[in-house]
Amino acid sequence: MQEINNLWNIVLEKLELSVSNVSFVMWFNPLKVVDFSSNNVLYLCAKSTFAKNQILKNYFDKLKSAVDEVFGENIEIEIFDPSEEKEYISKNKPKSVSKEIDSSKNPFNTKYTFNNFVVGKCNQTAYAAAKAVAENPGKSFNPLFIYGGVGLGKTHLLHAIGNFIRESKPNLKIKYVTCEQFTNDYIESLGSAGKTKTYSEFRDKYRKCDVLMVDDIQFISKKTSTQEEFFNTFNDLHQFGKQIIISSDRPPKEIETLEERLRSRFTMGLIQDLQSPDFETRVAILRKKCQIEKYSISEDAISYIAEKIDSNVRELEGMLSKVCFLSNLIGKTLADINDVKEAFSDKYEEKNEGGKTADQIINAVCEYFDITKNDIVGKKKSKDIVEPRMIAIYMISDMLELPLVSIGKIFGGRDHTTIMHARDKISTELKTNRKTQTFVSEIKKMLTSG
C-alpha cells in the first residue's frame, strides 16, 4: 500500500497546481486512499458527503486527469463518504483485496480488446495492422510502430494485441514495458554488482521473449547508453523473428536526438498513425462505453459530448463518466442534455449571445430573406431557401451551441451530418465571402435591436 500512497501524493501535487488553493485545501487535501483493488479501481474517501458531492459535481474531470497521468489511463475511481468507507472496509477486510501495482503476471488491462475498440476512418489502418500482428506475431509487420497524440488509443491497441496473443497463443512469452521501465531496468542492471539483479539477467529478461512491446518510446531520445542497449536488444530479437511493437506520440523522424540507426530500425517495418476521431466515431466510442459500463444516457446528450470534445478519447470518456455520476447523484435513471450542460459548466462557458432562442434566430432569418418558417424548416431545396436555412443553422450553432441532433429536430428532423455540413459551409464562407459576412452581420443586428 505504501507504493499506492506514494503515487497518490504525486496526484495531489498535480491537483494543487490545477485548482485554486481554497479548492485544494477544502476538497482534495483531505482525500485519502482506501484501497486499490485487483480490478484497477482506486477507492478514495472524502471528509464528508458534501465534500464527496462537490468533487463529483465540480472537479471530477480534474481528479480523473491527474489519476490517469500518474496511475495510468485504465484506472477507475470510486469516492466514498466516511460511512461508505466503513461499510466497504467491513465487507472487504477478511478478503484483504488491496494490492501493490504488479504487472509481472498480466500487464494487460482486460477491458482493452479488439472487440471493444471502436474503428473509424481515423484509426482503421492502425487497427488492421495491430490485428494482423496479434494473429501472426513476428510474421506480418515487424516492427509495428504506432504513433498518435494523447488519448487516441495507442495503449488500447497495445493491450488488445497482448490480450489476443495471451488467449490465442498462451505459450508465447510477452514482455510489455514503458520506455521508462526499460531505462530504469537497464540502469539498475549496470549498478548491480554483487546484487541479485545483473546485466546478464537484464539481457535475458528482454531478449528471451517472443513479443516485446514498448510504450512511449519517445522518452528514449536523450539517453545515449539506453539507445545503444535498445538497439542491441532490437537486433537480437529481430534476427530471430521475434515480434517488436512500439508506440510513440510522434513518428520516428520527429523524435529529436534519436540515433539514426534506431530511426532506421523503427522504419523498417510498418508505421501507423492514430488521428483524432471524427464526430461519428466519437459518438460510437461513447455508445460503446455506455454499453460496457451500463450507462444510461440520451442520444442528444451523447451528441453534445461528442461535439464539445473533439480530439481526446480519454477526455471524451471521462466526461461521459462524470455526466452519469452527476445524474446518478440526484437519483435520475437517464442522464440527459441538462446533466451534460451541468457537467460542462465548469469546463466551458455556455454561450447564448443576447439570451436569444432558436425560434427568434429563425424568425430573424425569415424576415431578412422574406421567406416563411415552413419554408426554412421544410424540404424545399431551391437556392433561395437552402442558403437562408444554412445561415440559420450556422447562427443557432454559433450563438446557442445546441447539439447537432437538437438543431436537426428543429429543422424538420434532419440528421446531424446534414446540420454539420450546413454549419461548416457557412463557417468557411464567412472567412472569404463578403456577401455571407454581410448576411450574418445584419441578421445579428436585427436580433440585438429587436
Side-chain angles (χ1 to χ4, degrees):
M1 195 66 181
Q2 183 59 45
E3 182 182 355
I4 305 303
N5 286 327
N6 290 340
L7 291 174
W8 175 247
N9 287 333
I10 298 173
V11 172
L12 289 177
E13 290 174 5
K14 292 184 177 296
L15 286 167
E16 192 170 8
L17 297 174
S18 65
V19 300
S20 68
N21 184 58
V22 173
S23 297
F24 179 78
V25 172
M26 287 287 292
W27 314 124
F28 291 110
N29 203 40
L31 273 176
K32 66 177 182 178
V33 177
V34 176
D35 198 0
F36 184 60
S37 75
S38 56
N39 58 343
N40 287 338
V41 181
L42 180 64
Y43 294 96
L44 305 173
C45 183
K47 65 178 180 179
S48 66
T49 302
F50 180 73
K52 167 189 169 181
N53 292 343
Q54 285 295 310
I55 293 169
L56 291 176
K57 182 177 180 181
N58 299 314
Y59 302 100
F60 184 79
D61 57 334
K62 293 184 182 296
L63 174 61
K64 185 70 168 66
S65 177
V67 169
D68 283 347
E69 191 173 344
V70 176
F71 281 79
E73 61 183 30
N74 58 335
I75 305 300
E76 299 293 332
I77 301 173
E78 184 76 29
I79 303 178
F80 296 142
D81 61 30
S83 63
E84 292 170 329
E85 178 198 17
K86 291 178 182 178
E87 183 180 353
Y88 175 85
I89 291 175
S90 65
K91 286 182 178 180
N92 291 277
K93 189 175 181 181
K95 295 188 275 187
S96 186
V97 298
S98 296
K99 71 175 184 75
E100 298 299 314
I101 296 177
D102 179 12
S103 61
S104 60
K105 293 182 179 178
N106 182 11
F108 304 112
N109 184 342
T110 54
K111 290 184 178 180
Y112 290 163
T113 66
F114 288 117
N115 287 338
N116 59 33
F117 186 87
V118 177
V119 182
K121 292 179 181 178
C122 58
N123 57 30
Q124 58 188 2
T125 54
Y127 171 85
K131 190 76 181 295
V133 164
E135 292 171 348
N136 294 288
K139 297 178 181 178
S140 296
F141 307 109
N142 198 16
L144 174 62
F145 191 105
I146 299 174
Y147 73 92
V150 174
L152 296 184
K154 300 187 300 295
T155 300
H156 188 141
L157 280 181
L158 263 63
H159 282 245
I161 293 171
N163 283 317
F164 187 95
I165 293 176
R166 281 177 62 88
E167 184 174 341
S168 62
K169 298 176 176 61
N171 59 311
L172 294 187
K173 185 178 179 182
I174 311 171
K175 186 66 185 173
Y176 171 85
V177 293
T178 63
C179 180
E180 183 180 11
Q181 286 174 297
F182 180 88
T183 302
N184 290 341
D185 282 352
Y186 174 59
I187 293 171
E188 187 175 351
S189 74
L190 296 178
S192 62
K195 298 182 181 180
T196 56
K197 291 185 177 180
T198 66
Y199 177 67
S200 176
E201 288 174 331
F202 168 82
R203 284 169 55 94
D204 289 346
K205 179 179 181 180
Y206 285 97
R207 301 190 194 187
K208 289 189 175 180
C209 59
D210 299 293
V211 180
L212 176 62
M213 308 171 74
V214 183
D215 212 347
D216 291 327
I217 197 66
Q218 71 271 10
F219 293 119
I220 203 173
S221 62
K222 295 182 180 180
K223 302 174 176 67
T224 305
S225 61
T226 307
Q227 287 195 40
E228 171 77 23
E229 182 56 36
F230 189 76
F231 176 80
N232 293 331
T233 300
F234 184 106
N235 284 345
D236 203 32
L237 290 170
H238 195 270
Q239 70 175 334
F240 288 107
K242 307 302 183 182
Q243 180 68 54
I244 302 163
I245 304 162
I246 300 167
S247 84
S248 174
D249 65 354
R250 68 203 79 165
K253 65 181 180 180
E254 294 180 13
I255 301 179
E256 298 176 1
T257 70
L258 182 66
E259 291 184 8
E260 189 56 40
R261 57 180 180 170
L262 262 184
R263 200 187 314 274
S264 174
R265 292 297 185 276
F266 291 166
T267 57
M268 66 191 294
L270 181 66
I271 300 176
Q272 288 295 322
D273 69 321
L274 292 165
Q275 301 172 355
S276 297
D278 56 23
F279 177 79
E280 288 80 6
T281 304
R282 297 196 299 272
V283 169
I285 288 169
L286 291 172
R287 287 174 179 165
K288 175 65 75 173
K289 183 73 172 176
C290 289
Q291 178 185 345
I292 293 171
E293 303 295 341
K294 301 189 185 322
Y295 292 149
S296 183
I297 183 170
S298 66
E299 278 297 313
D300 59 343
I302 286 177
S303 295
Y304 191 90
I305 297 172
E307 289 172 42
K308 284 282 192 176
I309 302 174
D310 60 5
S311 60
N312 189 309
V313 175
R314 191 182 306 164
E315 186 180 356
L316 192 71
E317 294 182 338
M319 181 55 71
L320 175 66
S321 297
K322 179 181 178 182
V323 168
C324 293
F325 264 124
L326 290 174
S327 177
N328 291 335
L329 202 62
I330 57 177
K332 296 174 69 172
T333 57
L334 178 72
D336 58 26
I337 192 70
N338 294 322
D339 299 311
V340 177
K341 289 184 176 180
E342 175 69 18
F344 271 102
S345 62
D346 65 329
K347 190 173 182 64
Y348 303 100
E349 182 180 352
E350 281 297 315
K351 184 166 68 171
N352 187 336
E353 295 183 11
K356 300 301 179 181
T357 66
D359 271 343
Q360 288 173 314
I361 293 171
I362 289 174
N363 289 337
V365 173
C366 289
E367 181 181 347
Y368 184 84
F369 287 102
D370 192 24
I371 58 177
T372 68
K373 184 175 180 179
N374 287 337
D375 289 333
I376 207 170
V377 301
K379 296 183 179 181
K380 288 185 179 180
K381 295 184 179 180
S382 56
K383 184 178 179 182
D384 62 323
I385 300 297
V386 169
E387 187 174 26
R389 181 184 295 139
M390 290 194 295
I391 288 174
I393 288 170
Y394 165 80
M395 293 185 68
I396 290 172
S397 175
D398 179 60
M399 296 175 68
L400 307 184
E401 290 195 346
L402 289 177
L404 299 178
V405 173
S406 297
I407 299 175
K409 290 178 181 177
I410 294 170
F411 286 86
R414 286 174 167 85
D415 62 40
H416 69 271
T417 54
T418 302
I419 300 301
M420 187 187 302
H421 170 74
R423 179 199 64 187
D424 293 348
K425 188 174 190 303
I426 298 302
S427 179
T428 301
E429 286 187 3
L430 282 171
K431 297 174 184 177
T432 56
N433 191 315
R434 288 195 174 186
K435 185 179 73 169
T436 304
Q437 292 169 356
T438 301
F439 288 162
V440 172
S441 175
E442 291 184 350
I443 293 169
K444 282 188 175 182
K445 287 179 182 177
M446 291 173 59
L447 287 165
T448 55
S449 62

